Amino acid sequence: MIAVIMPIYNTEQYLRAAIDSIVNQTLPFRENVRLLLLDDASTDGSLAICQEYQEAYPDNIILKHFDQNQGVSALRNYGVEQCRQWGDDVVVSFIDSDDRIGEDVFERVTAYFDEHPDIHVATVEIRVFDAVEKEHKTNWRFRDREVVDIRKDYTYPHYYIGGTFLRGSAFRRIHFNEKMNFWEDALAINQVILDEGRYGLLPGAYYYYRRRADESSLVDVAWRSKERYTTFLKEGYGSLMRYSRRKKLRVIPYVQFLIVYHMRQFMFKDRQDMIQNLLTEQELDDFCHALHKILKKISVDIILQMPTTLPIIDMMLSIRADRPVRADRVYTDSDCLFMYNRKLMAKMSERRVNLYPKIDRPDSPFHGMWKATFYTPIYAMKPDDGLFVEYHGQRIEAKEYRSRKNMYILGRRVRCYYHARFAIDLPDDWDRVRFYIHVAERDVDIALNEIVREDWKYEEEPAD
């Protein structure tokens, strides 16, 4: 039997779709599924919708209404306790009331557990829908593995409880921290994964996570809460590290990687303005100091294995060392390599110049010239550096067209792009150009990307 725990709070506009996705599974609902609808003192029409479905399926749907708001963790814990009365053979899952699942998920999960009797945790792929349509960033795992052994596959992190299925020993252990308002699901499921040592992946089965246009989901609200930058580090990352030490006598690589892979979200470019506006200067300093304490317990090698941009690696290593850290530059005859601890992270030759429309300002000395930018995250151009193009042996130098762009992470400048924008006069009969950067400190020319005329950009360049 599959038991579904669904916490509900004021989601009347999405609730029917969520419940219907469970009722209309290819695995017959009446014979195989029990659904716990847990209404957390909703003030809209959610309770009435629940009552309607409970009346239609009295043997399958259990409805519990709370007069006072309990919080999502308390509701999930209540649901787990109710499911335990059905014995160890039950498979328990968690589906939020504004999300839904693919129609064959339960059938696929049942078959997976039949084929893998020693696996007690399994998860399906995530697709984001509604305001944004995209694959979840961790779906790559499903292309590589059916079973993740965290001792060997420590770079395969798992974060979400939605679309995750538990049975047997895993079901008996799951518990959510009721004091946490976010990341409580990542903490709870990873405590179980640490105990189990393995978890399963079901490619082709989907949980649909709703990204609301008004950004009112718990995840969106959490990023705008100061607690995300204060108590979270202790209750989230810190709790998982302490659990790992208690169970494994150390913070194992899986936990280290899971934490830094999640931590990079604090350093994404699109979150910096929000963080700057939310936190005072002192609060931002305190947050970075708390990150330092966490990162000191994570090996440099783990940080270097994280798939992310060079500035984020720079920032993590800088916070960890409590001093500025930048990648080493190693020059060859035709390239510049960016390395940490002899580990290659990027090559200058792999970066690209972007070309934008001609400058249409008669009063400008650059009037009629094309704009070009080299806003690469791996390198800040120096005053004596430059760009040029070549075509059939003819070389044209670009002229610097000053920029005011800078890159900041957590209030600290990590790149200055003051010298990274140019104007260049390209002949009308050229059908392609190859860009080069001249690095003055080593007097070396490095070939960059080629742009054919059909691919030249005609949209406006982003503002400084």
Side-chain angles (χ1 to χ4, degrees):
M1 179 182 69
I2 292 180
V4 181
I5 297 171
M6 181 180 290
I8 299 161
Y9 180 70
N10 287 352
T11 52
E12 63 175 343
Q13 59 181 319
Y14 312 120
L15 185 54
R16 291 184 186 278
I19 297 175
D20 285 344
S21 75
I22 297 167
V23 172
N24 297 324
Q25 287 286 299
T26 55
L27 187 72
F29 179 71
R30 293 183 186 275
E31 294 82 6
N32 299 280
V33 182
R34 287 184 183 172
L35 171 60
L36 284 78
L37 300 177
L38 308 178
D39 181 59
D40 201 15
S42 293
T43 56
D44 64 357
S46 294
L47 179 58
I49 295 173
C50 292
Q51 290 169 336
E52 176 186 328
Y53 276 92
Q54 200 274 332
E55 290 173 3
Y57 301 97
D59 296 330
N60 299 85
I61 294 180
I62 298 170
L63 172 60
K64 173 65 176 177
H65 170 72
F66 294 87
D67 291 327
Q68 294 184 336
N69 190 266
Q70 306 293 307
V72 66
S73 291
L75 264 63
R76 286 172 177 158
N77 287 334
Y78 174 88
V80 167
E81 288 301 317
Q82 299 307 302
C83 292
R84 284 180 177 144
Q85 64 183 301
W86 300 322
D88 284 350
D89 290 337
V90 64
V91 174
V92 176
S93 64
F94 303 84
I95 298 175
D96 288 344
S97 60
D98 54 350
D99 298 338
R100 56 185 175 84
I101 57 174
E103 64 179 6
D104 60 349
V105 166
F106 291 171
E107 186 175 2
R108 285 175 174 265
V109 168
T110 301
Y112 182 90
F113 279 139
D114 287 343
E115 295 168 5
H116 300 82
D118 55 339
I119 299 298
H120 299 136
V121 180
T123 188
V124 302
E125 298 187 59
I126 298 285
R127 282 184 174 169
V128 181
F129 76 108
D130 199 347
V132 177
E133 302 280 342
K134 64 179 182 179
E135 295 281 326
H136 191 272
K137 59 182 175 293
T138 61
N139 277 2
W140 59 267
R141 296 171 297 161
F142 295 83
R143 314 296 174 251
D144 296 341
R145 298 284 189 278
E146 281 193 2
V147 175
V148 172
D149 183 335
I150 64 172
R151 294 168 299 177
K152 299 180 296 183
D153 305 322
Y154 60 85
T155 60
Y156 286 67
H158 184 62
Y159 295 99
Y160 47 83
I161 197 68
T164 298
F165 295 78
L166 304 95
R167 64 174 179 175
S169 56
F171 166 48
R172 290 194 297 271
R173 292 189 181 104
I174 191 74
H175 182 79
F176 298 88
N177 185 336
E178 297 181 14
K179 295 180 180 179
M180 293 180 66
N181 296 321
F182 36 79
W183 220 66
E184 75 292 331
D185 57 339
L187 176 59
I189 192 58
N190 277 292
Q191 287 173 336
V192 171
I193 288 173
L194 258 65
D195 289 334
E196 294 290 324
R198 297 190 297 170
Y199 71 91
L201 297 169
L202 281 72
Y206 295 100
Y207 181 99
Y208 293 89
Y209 169 75
R210 187 184 299 274
R211 178 66 60 83
R212 302 185 196 176
D214 61 3
E215 297 186 341
S216 61
S217 70
L218 290 176
V219 173
D220 291 322
V221 170
W223 283 106
R224 300 191 296 271
S225 168
K226 285 195 175 188
E227 289 184 359
R228 185 84 187 195
Y229 310 88
T230 53
T231 57
F232 164 70
L233 297 186
K234 178 180 179 181
E235 298 299 328
Y237 297 160
S239 292
L240 188 57
M241 286 178 146
R242 290 189 293 273
Y243 193 85
S244 180
R245 287 195 197 94
R246 187 162 69 250
K247 294 290 185 173
K248 307 294 184 181
L249 303 180
R250 64 191 179 111
V251 181
I252 62 173
Y254 173 80
V255 172
Q256 293 185 46
F257 186 87
L258 182 143
I259 287 172
V260 294
Y261 189 84
H262 184 269
M263 187 185 292
R264 71 199 176 112
Q265 295 184 67
F266 290 108
M267 304 179 188
F268 286 169
K269 179 181 178 181
D270 59 0
R271 287 214 167 98
Q272 299 313 303
D273 287 344
M274 179 194 66
I275 293 174
Q276 286 282 96
N277 294 330
L278 181 65
L279 302 182
T280 66
E281 185 174 341
Q282 184 59 55
E283 288 170 338
L284 193 54
D285 285 344
D286 292 343
F287 175 62
C288 289
H289 182 66
L291 288 177
H292 167 74
K293 290 183 176 180
I294 296 289
L295 287 167
K296 285 290 287 183
K297 300 165 186 172
I298 294 173
S299 76
V300 170
D301 184 60
I302 292 291
I303 295 173
L304 296 182
Q305 292 180 66
M306 181 175 48
T308 192
T309 63
L310 216 58
I312 290 179
I313 298 288
D314 283 352
M315 181 54 65
M316 282 198 183
L317 294 178
S318 297
I319 292 174
R320 185 183 187 277
D322 203 21
R323 60 176 176 79
V325 174
R326 297 291 182 268
D328 296 325
R329 294 200 294 270
V330 178
Y331 288 93
T332 68
D333 291 340
S334 60
D335 211 340
C336 176
L337 313 180
F338 296 83
M339 309 182 75
Y340 295 97
N341 291 356
R342 300 182 180 180
K343 178 180 176 63
L344 177 64
M345 304 299 292
K347 297 179 180 180
M348 183 84 83
S349 60
E350 296 173 342
R351 313 314 299 177
R352 66 176 289 112
V353 174
N354 288 328
L355 201 59
Y356 294 95
K358 290 181 179 180
I359 299 166
D360 186 17
R361 288 180 50 198
D363 60 334
S364 169
F366 307 110
H367 177 66
M369 300 173 71
W370 292 84
K371 284 188 290 185
T373 62
F374 191 56
Y375 293 142
T376 170
I378 69 173
Y379 181 72
M381 292 184 68
K382 309 298 188 297
D384 293 334
D385 294 343
L387 290 182
F388 65 92
V389 296
E390 281 191 352
Y391 179 75
H392 291 321
Q394 185 177 353
R395 173 168 170 161
I396 297 178
E397 304 280 347
K399 297 180 179 180
E400 187 173 344
Y401 186 83
R402 291 291 175 87
S403 171
R404 296 187 299 274
K405 278 186 179 288
N406 289 292
M407 178 184 291
Y408 290 88
I409 296 178
L410 301 179
R412 305 178 185 190
R413 192 174 76 177
V414 292
R415 294 289 186 274
C416 171
Y417 294 123
Y418 192 70
H419 305 286
R421 187 163 63 171
F422 298 85
I424 189 164
D425 195 4
L426 298 176
D428 290 337
D429 60 344
W430 283 17
D431 63 353
R432 66 188 63 238
V433 292
R434 167 74 69 180
F435 276 94
Y436 293 78
I437 179 174
H438 176 74
V439 181
E441 67 175 337
R442 291 303 179 99
D443 194 26
V444 61
D445 295 334
I446 299 172
L448 302 172
N449 56 301
E450 181 181 73
I451 305 179
V452 298
R453 181 171 287 274
E454 298 85 66
D455 295 334
W456 292 6
K457 291 180 178 290
Y458 288 89
E459 67 270 21
E460 285 302 315
E461 179 189 11
D464 284 349

